[in-house]
Amino acid sequence: MDFVVVPSCFSSLLNHSNNKNNIFYCYYNNKKNKSHFSVPSSAGIFSLRKFTTVSFGYDYRYRRGCRSKIECSRRRVMDSSTSPEFSKPKIVIGPGGYVLEDVPHLSDYIPDLPTYPNPLQDNPAYSVVKQYFVHVDDTVPQKVVVHKDSPRGIHFRRAGPRQKVYFESDEVHACIVTCGGLCPGLNTVIREIVCGLFHMYGVKKVLGIDGGYRGFYAKNTVNLNPKVVNDIHKRGGTILGTSRGGHDTSKIVDSIQDRGINQVYIIGGDGTQRGASVIFEEIRRRGLKVSVAGIPKTIDNDIPVIDKSFGFDTAVEEAQRAINAAHVEADSIENGIGLVKLMGRYSGFIAMHATLASRDVDCCLIPESPFYLEGPGGLFEYIERQLKENGHMVIVIAEGAGQELLSESMTLKDASGNKLLKDVGLWISQKIKDYFSKERKIPINLKYIDPTYMIRAIPSNASDNVYCTLLAQSAVHGAMAGYTGFTSGLVNGRQTYIPFNRIIEKQNKVVITDRMWARLLSSTNQPSFWSPKFAIGDEGNGEEPTELLDKGICGDEAPHFN
Ligand SMILES: Nc1ncnc2c1ncn2[C@@H]1O[C@H](COP(=O)(O)OP(=O)(O)O)[C@@H](O)[C@H]1O
Ligand SMILES: O=P(O)(O)OC[C@H]1O[C@](O)(COP(=O)(O)O)[C@@H](O)[C@@H]1O
Ligand SMILES: [Mg+2]
């Protein structure tokens, strides 16, 4: 008997089989050595182990060919899937400076994978669509504003259904997990992954992982189907629960393997996508036929490359309610100051967009734009002028703004390693009150509104709901087509598959030397608080211009959804 490594997932395959005997065929590279053995399902994994011996340096791919038969092909893959070559980004260079930043595919590390016709071709809802399947060579450019001599630049693979899929419908065992902070639209994404798998691809097995990453190994799972998720998009939050911290890669991948899961849908922000990336690497190292797809989530909009994250518009819309209230309060009383603190840990997109949308805001403070309180050009001087001229004013401050001005105590971190912020809203309220009452002897009426979680605990609005649907369906099409290690994201209004390395390499931030921030300054008339010393840091960090600037909302090209 030759050496055979039996993946731990065989136990779940054995347990799920209705047949009395599970026949295991082992195909070796040398076909002459082909052998098989049969194990009664009641014997379970322990009996199976009698036939097995661990052989280091090899791993075995398995495929559930039919209910009673599991074929395992022995491959010499460990060496190649752990080689540095494998971890390198997949870059394809073409003529004219064309660069495709491609996503990994299961066939990159599992040779001879069979393909199947896409079941969508028999689906009456889609058969009327001309050219429903996306051409394998379709890509989407990252930059759409070009000059006639510009190189063609970076492209991403276009998302969408492919003619051939790498999973049979009854072979798929998918799971969905939500991690990090809440965001409007989480439930819509969950719903549309489940419905997409069931209705488009005839999949019947979808598991919900309870409570974020740690749910893989420390919690129960829940079976998901279209009935269970039918009206969840009308609710805020996530029906699966979420958490920070608790990312234990090997325990998570063991759980994926033990449960026989072969498609993993991971919904979360920058931290979550980093976690997804290491899960993918471990899955590839173990040579498993498991697709890992990320769906980017964050109200802070701090994920790079993509046009914007889902739930962002809903959060901005909800923030308007707080700003309106602050304006009404400030406008109704002498020397009224309405102060609103909005979420935005490292990026001030919510504050910036809420300010631009409202037009009632006189000053917007964000983490990317350092400010100062006293002296010429400072915030106090500006407040005094506003009160003199208008009798009231509204200030919006992102929670991450001005952190460097607050007292220097030890920086605490949350379970995921994110900086725990000091309360800049309370701090600045006190500073303004002290300055005007003690130093200037000017009576002011300051009303502080902190809507905190209210802007993210709500269900998504109509446009975010459509956006969530497209992201979820794109992720499903990608996983079915055998792509893995990708995030489904909108680039220039087109659905794309973006490799994890591009999503996690940096954070999206408001670039204060961009036109969007200039639009805000011209709308509020606030001081820029700009000083040449800030500009050095700004130029030096090599940031791309604000993603939202040139690509939509107020940019040169209206976003268009495919
Ligand atoms: N560098 C990392 N490697 C692995 N897992 C990570 C990493 N950063 C964050 N995570 C995990 O991702 C999950 C969510 O991260 P967090 O930063 O809280 O939220 P978000 O994904 O919304 O940014 C947590 O379970 C955390 O442990
Ligand atoms: O949910 P918590 O742990 O209180 O964290 C609040 C943070 O979550 C956010 O809403 C978004 O954070 P993530 O997208 O990284 O999860 C931030 O704006 C805010 O600072
Ligand atoms: Mg985050």
Side-chain angles (χ1 to χ4, degrees), residues 180-181 244 270 297-300 343-345 399 414 453 456:
R244 298 195 190 273
D270 56 334
K297 165 257 37 154
T298 165
I299 53 160
D300 289 358
M343 281 192 167
R345 195 190 273 128
E399 62 179 341
D414 70 13
Y453 300 101
R456 67 174 207 189

Side-chain angles (χ1 to χ4, degrees), residues 174-175 177 216 256 261-266 279 283 290-294:
C175 76
V177 64
F216 272 105
I256 289 168
I261 289 167
N262 50 21
Q263 291 187 4
V264 185
Y265 295 93
I266 300 177
I279 290 172
I283 282 173
V290 179
S291 280
V292 182

Side-chain angles (χ1 to χ4, degrees), residues 179-181 213 243-247 268-272 274-275 278 297 416 418:
C179 313
Y213 278 133
S243 63
R244 298 195 190 273
H247 186 282
D270 56 334
T272 306
R274 269 183 212 105
V278 287
K297 165 257 37 154
S416 295
N418 299 304

Side-chain angles (χ1 to χ4, degrees), residues 221-283:
T221 56
V222 50
N223 286 321
L224 299 174
N225 59 50
K227 227 173 166 178
V228 172
V229 299
N230 184 42
D231 60 359
I232 61 169
H233 60 295
K234 294 174 187 159
R235 281 181 251 160
T238 157
I239 57 156
L240 298 177
T242 184
S243 63
R244 298 195 190 273
H247 186 282
D248 185 323
T249 314
S250 55
K251 279 191 191 167
I252 292 169
V253 179
D254 285 350
S255 159
I256 289 168
Q257 221 177 334
D258 289 346
R259 294 173 199 273
I261 289 167
N262 50 21
Q263 291 187 4
V264 185
Y265 295 93
I266 300 177
I267 313 169
D270 56 334
T272 306
Q273 303 301 314
R274 269 183 212 105
S277 171
V278 287
I279 290 172
F280 157 68
E281 293 295 346
E282 177 60 15
I283 282 173

